[in-house]
Amino acid sequence: MRSIWNGAISFGLVSIPIKLVNATESHAISFRQIHTEDNGRIRYRKVCELEDREVAQAEIGKGYEDADGTIIPITDEDLSHLPIPTARTIEIVAFVPADRIDPLQMDAVYYLATGSAPAAKPYVLLREALNRSNKVAVAKYALRGRERLGMLRVVGDAIVMHGLLWPDEVRAPEGVAPDASVTIRDKELDLADALMETLGEVDLEDLHDEYREALEEVITAKASGEAPPEAPAPADGGKVLDLMAALENSVRAARKSRGETPSGGAAEVRPLPRRTAPRATAARKSTSTAKKTATTKKPEPARKSTSRTAEGAKRSTGSTSTAKKTAAKATAGTARSTGTGKAAGTTGTTGTAKAAKTSKTSKTAGKKTASRKQTA
């Protein structure tokens, strides 16, 4: 890399000979101006106004134009006698935390390379001091006819200097921000946070100039006599006026592009099923029936064991007197039965067992009806 400036870093009483090297390069494709009729080059020639002739670079110097149009010539010798110490020196004036530097002031960036072998030790000393302090150095230097502000920091094993704009060169953002009366809801902020989290981070090494690549394809096609590639049709997303809808669509699209499953998205809203009429219920044990009546929950649908049980349940819910009669008949049937209550509950019982089961159902249904009336 070719150096563009030679000088020294002034670090207190320590002087470090260095060379200034451009740290960046442009890969932009440049065009020439041509005459559209015959593709001839359009060139700019440096012409002296007084003599009306083209002059060579060696004949060109510097001059300052006064307010009345008078030209005051300034030579390189005049500039070499400027009464500032930064003419050939990067003078460090302070060490500050990196967050004290406003990114708006950032300008061009340069690598600082050692100018000679003896400069290696003080160079490494400054580099390690910056590393251990977690600070950056603020410096002043002169380049291309003006004094500038710079920031020195460590990148890898090298010291880098960022050119900084002077504070008065940064404009205040007056009239740029929108009206302060705009209100943002918490839900909108939550969706914005979700979008930021979904997009996540990116490796800057994976980013590249797609415009330059497309331009190279056009130039290659034109050079080979082929038709240039056509631009893809833009996605017709429509005009979104709802900020919430735009945020939700953005989060959904970001998750889809990252290959996430739909389960990671927002909850799906489904309609509730319609309610149906309650079926006839069969009573269980007296303790569970009392608990359900106390909590005023709706009875669960019961399975139909026999047609007699269902009919007994319907009669019991119809009136209390009918339930009592059914219970009396069931009791009489139970008294005439030869089996016990335990045998009546088994699957191998006769019609007496069925009557006993109907009795239990009627009694429990009657109690439930009475409890409902008391609750009402």
Side-chain angles (χ1 to χ4, degrees), residues 5-342:
W5 185 88
N6 294 334
I9 299 175
S10 175
F11 179 33
L13 298 178
V14 178
S15 180
I16 310 172
I18 56 96
K19 296 179 180 179
L20 204 65
V21 179
N22 280 322
T24 61
E25 59 184 0
S26 175
H27 293 161
I29 298 176
S30 59
F31 295 99
R32 303 291 187 185
Q33 289 185 333
I34 62 171
H35 189 198
T36 56
E37 292 184 1
D38 54 13
N39 293 341
R41 284 280 307 276
I42 302 298
R43 298 181 181 272
Y44 291 93
R45 303 181 185 277
K46 298 179 179 180
V47 178
C48 175
E49 292 181 350
L50 298 179
E51 298 182 7
D52 194 18
R53 70 177 181 88
E54 185 179 356
V55 295
Q57 184 63 34
E59 302 178 73
I60 300 175
K62 300 181 181 68
Y64 175 78
E65 185 176 1
D66 206 352
D68 58 357
T70 304
I71 300 297
I72 303 174
I74 303 294
T75 64
D76 292 338
E77 185 179 358
D78 296 332
L79 297 176
S80 64
H81 293 87
L82 290 175
I84 56 173
T86 58
R88 284 293 172 183
T89 305
I90 299 175
E91 182 184 6
I92 295 177
V93 296
F95 293 89
V96 299
D99 57 5
R100 287 275 303 276
I101 304 299
D102 190 344
L104 285 174
Q105 293 182 250
M106 295 289 186
D107 201 1
V109 58
Y110 309 95
Y111 286 131
L112 301 183
T114 54
S116 60
K121 187 170 183 177
Y123 184 96
V124 174
L125 173 64
L126 176 59
R127 183 189 67 194
E128 296 305 315
L130 289 172
N131 267 331
R132 190 166 67 172
S133 66
N134 291 324
K135 293 183 178 180
V136 297
V138 177
K140 296 170 69 176
Y141 65 101
L143 180 65
R144 297 188 179 98
R146 53 170 295 195
E147 188 176 46
R148 303 169 186 264
L149 195 62
M151 178 190 73
L152 277 63
R153 68 184 184 97
V154 178
V155 176
D157 293 332
I159 299 177
V160 173
M161 183 174 70
H162 293 267
L164 299 179
L165 300 175
W166 296 99
D168 59 355
E169 292 180 320
V170 179
R171 292 180 176 179
E174 296 179 358
V176 176
D179 189 2
S181 62
V182 176
T183 302
I184 300 297
R185 294 178 293 174
D186 291 339
K187 190 173 181 180
E188 293 170 339
L189 282 175
D190 293 340
L191 280 172
D193 291 340
L195 178 58
M196 293 169 62
E197 184 178 355
T198 304
L199 292 176
E201 298 181 358
V202 65
D203 187 357
L204 296 181
E205 297 294 334
D206 297 336
L207 302 179
H208 56 279
D209 189 351
E210 297 180 1
Y211 179 83
R212 179 174 59 87
E213 293 177 355
L215 190 57
E216 289 175 350
E217 293 180 3
V218 172
I219 294 174
T220 302
K222 294 279 288 185
S224 59
E226 300 176 358
E230 296 183 359
D236 187 13
K239 188 175 181 180
V240 180
L241 299 179
D242 186 0
L243 179 59
M244 291 291 294
L247 289 171
E248 290 174 353
N249 293 336
S250 299
V251 172
R252 192 178 299 108
R255 286 173 176 168
K256 184 178 179 181
S257 66
R258 296 173 69 89
E260 296 184 8
T261 57
S263 59
E268 184 179 356
V269 180
R270 297 180 180 178
L272 294 174
R274 295 181 179 179
R275 294 184 178 180
T276 56
R279 297 180 180 177
T281 58
R284 295 183 179 178
K285 293 182 180 180
S286 58
T287 54
S288 63
T289 304
K291 186 182 294 185
K292 289 182 179 180
T293 306
T295 55
T296 66
K297 288 187 177 180
K298 293 184 179 181
E300 298 180 357
R303 299 178 180 176
K304 293 183 179 181
S305 58
T306 59
S307 60
R308 292 182 179 181
T309 306
E311 291 174 1
K314 291 179 180 180
R315 294 195 191 100
S316 63
T317 55
S319 64
T320 308
S321 61
T322 306
K324 289 181 178 181
K325 291 179 181 180
T326 306
K329 291 180 180 181
T331 306
T334 305
R336 289 195 297 269
S337 63
T338 55
T340 61
K342 185 177 181 180

Side-chain angles (χ1 to χ4, degrees), residues 350-366:
T350 59
T352 306
K354 294 181 179 179
K357 193 170 185 181
T358 305
S359 172
K360 286 185 179 182
T361 304
S362 303
K363 287 181 180 182
T364 309

